[in-house]
Amino acid sequence: MDNLKKIGKVMFFPHILVVFALFILAMGFLLFSMIYFGTEHIVSYVSYVISFYALVVLCVRIPQIIKLFKKIKNENKYVLKYRQDPNLRIKLSLYGTFLINITYSIFQLCLGIYHKSFWFYSMAIYYALFSIVRFYLLNFAKKNKLGVDILGEYKRYNFCGWVMLLMNIAVTIIIFFIIYFGKTFYHHEITTIALAAYTFLSFGLSIFSFIKYRKYNSPMYSAAKSLNLVSGCVSMMTLTTTMLTTFGSDEIFEFKKILLTIVGIVVSLFILAISIQIIVATNKKIKNRV
């Protein structure tokens, strides 16, 4: 009986790090098996069993996981510094998004050269503009603390508004490419679902942070969060085209075209409106402070 208890404890109550590693590996194995072997292959069946076991172990340890995260949140010195230092948060956010944007821009440019596709060139320009404006903000944040040089922050916020207008041109080209030429890209169903999960999560977080950090009343914060919000909107638009292509049928081509037109126009008008609002508002603030 004691041996059975030990086996059960080892199987269902492993170390918390083992739980995380097992869950990540199980999900990776599941995606790999479904993409490369399909849903009815023996390898896929094995991945189903392992994934189910990993999910059960994770659910069993949820109370301990919650306690662990609370402990890290309240006691870890690096987490505490991150939570208490708005300047550090904005720097880390800009570093991360800058690296992602510049990498993705280069990747899209390479795809454009390889495929000779206007779509990829447009996406490369779009993410290059994001990289430029984030680098511009990051360079200022490295040299100044938030709330000290308010005039300088407003000038950079104003610059973001103008860059967003240029971004809107790239977005309009992308929309035209989709609607006029009827060109979209097919992805595997699993890949599309993963993209959807990532897009909805990032879009939700961008809205949450945009609302939450308004209390700091910092133009730099507002600039960074406005960029995240615009990026999330464009990601939702491209996700819509991907999902309609992947899960839609040729019989509803006209419906897809109408829906994409509506979504594209709404996103383009939103970017146009927010960029004009930023430019007008910051111009007034700059004139009042000069």
Side-chain angles (χ1 to χ4, degrees):
M1 184 64 70
D2 290 338
N3 289 333
L4 289 175
K5 286 183 178 180
K6 289 180 180 179
I7 294 172
K9 186 176 181 180
V10 171
M11 287 187 63
F12 294 102
F13 294 92
H15 192 277
I16 199 70
L17 294 177
V18 176
V19 174
F20 288 133
L22 177 64
F23 184 77
I24 293 171
L25 290 173
M27 294 301 104
F29 182 40
L30 177 65
L31 289 173
F32 173 80
S33 62
M34 294 184 71
I35 291 172
Y36 289 97
F37 296 101
T39 57
E40 298 182 1
H41 194 275
I42 183 64
V43 176
S44 298
Y45 291 141
V46 173
S47 72
Y48 299 155
V49 175
I50 296 175
S51 299
F52 177 74
Y53 168 68
L55 183 62
V56 170
V57 172
L58 182 68
C59 291
V60 169
R61 298 303 298 270
I62 283 178
Q64 287 77 19
I65 292 172
I66 293 173
K67 287 181 181 178
L68 176 64
F69 277 109
K70 284 184 177 180
K71 184 178 180 180
I72 293 172
K73 178 182 177 182
N74 297 323
E75 298 180 12
N76 186 277
K77 64 178 182 179
Y78 300 108
V79 175
L80 288 173
K81 182 174 177 58
Y82 175 82
R83 292 176 58 199
Q84 296 168 1
D85 189 347
N87 204 55
L88 176 62
R89 284 203 298 272
I90 194 68
K91 284 181 182 179
L92 290 177
S93 174
L94 288 171
Y95 268 118
T97 50
F98 170 74
L99 290 174
I100 292 172
N101 288 156
I102 193 67
T103 302
Y104 204 60
S105 176
I106 295 171
F107 175 66
Q108 293 290 330
L109 178 62
C110 293
L111 288 176
I113 295 171
Y114 180 80
H115 292 287
K116 296 181 176 59
S117 170
F118 207 47
W119 164 276
F120 291 118
Y121 284 129
S122 300
M123 293 299 290
I125 294 171
Y126 168 73
Y127 283 103
L129 289 171
F130 256 117
S131 302
I132 291 169
V133 72
R134 289 190 193 282
F135 179 78
Y136 184 63
L137 294 176
L138 180 60
N139 189 50
F140 180 82
K142 286 167 62 178
K143 300 176 182 177
N144 302 273
K145 284 189 175 182
L146 296 180
V148 176
D149 184 5
I150 297 296
L151 180 61
E153 290 189 32
Y154 273 121
K155 288 180 179 179
R156 278 146 186 83
Y157 196 14
N158 180 270
F159 176 75
C160 285
W162 287 105
V163 173
M164 284 181 190
L165 282 178
L166 293 176
M167 287 179 183
N168 201 36
I169 296 174
V171 171
T172 304
I173 293 172
I174 295 169
I175 295 168
F176 176 78
F177 186 88
I178 294 171
I179 296 171
Y180 186 80
F181 292 102
K183 296 288 186 181
T184 53
F185 291 88
Y186 175 84
H187 295 280
H188 191 277
E189 288 86 348
I190 301 299
T191 306
T192 303
I193 293 172
L195 287 171
Y198 169 78
T199 301
F200 281 115
L201 177 63
S202 60
F203 186 63
L205 288 175
S206 67
I207 294 176
F208 173 77
S209 61
F210 184 80
I211 296 172
K212 180 180 178 181
Y213 293 115
R214 290 186 69 179
K215 65 183 180 181
Y216 289 107
N217 196 30
S218 166
M220 278 289 290
Y221 253 118
S222 299
K225 300 313 172 185
S226 295
L227 287 172
N228 290 342
L229 190 59
V230 169
S231 177
C233 289
V234 176
S235 296
M236 289 293 289
M237 181 190 72
T238 54
L239 175 65
T240 302
T241 65
T242 301
M243 294 191 72
L244 287 174
T245 303
T246 304
F247 298 109
S249 60
D250 294 334
E251 287 77 12
I252 60 170
F253 175 76
E254 288 301 322
F255 170 75
K256 290 194 292 184
K257 196 171 182 179
I258 293 171
L259 181 60
L260 291 175
T261 302
I262 294 172
V263 172
I265 291 174
V266 169
V267 170
S268 181
L269 289 176
F270 174 78
I271 297 174
L272 182 65
I274 197 171
S275 58
I276 292 175
Q277 187 273 330
I278 289 171
I279 292 170
V280 172
T282 52
N283 278 338
K284 289 181 179 178
K285 294 289 184 180
I286 292 169
K287 287 179 180 179
N288 291 334
R289 289 178 178 271
V290 172

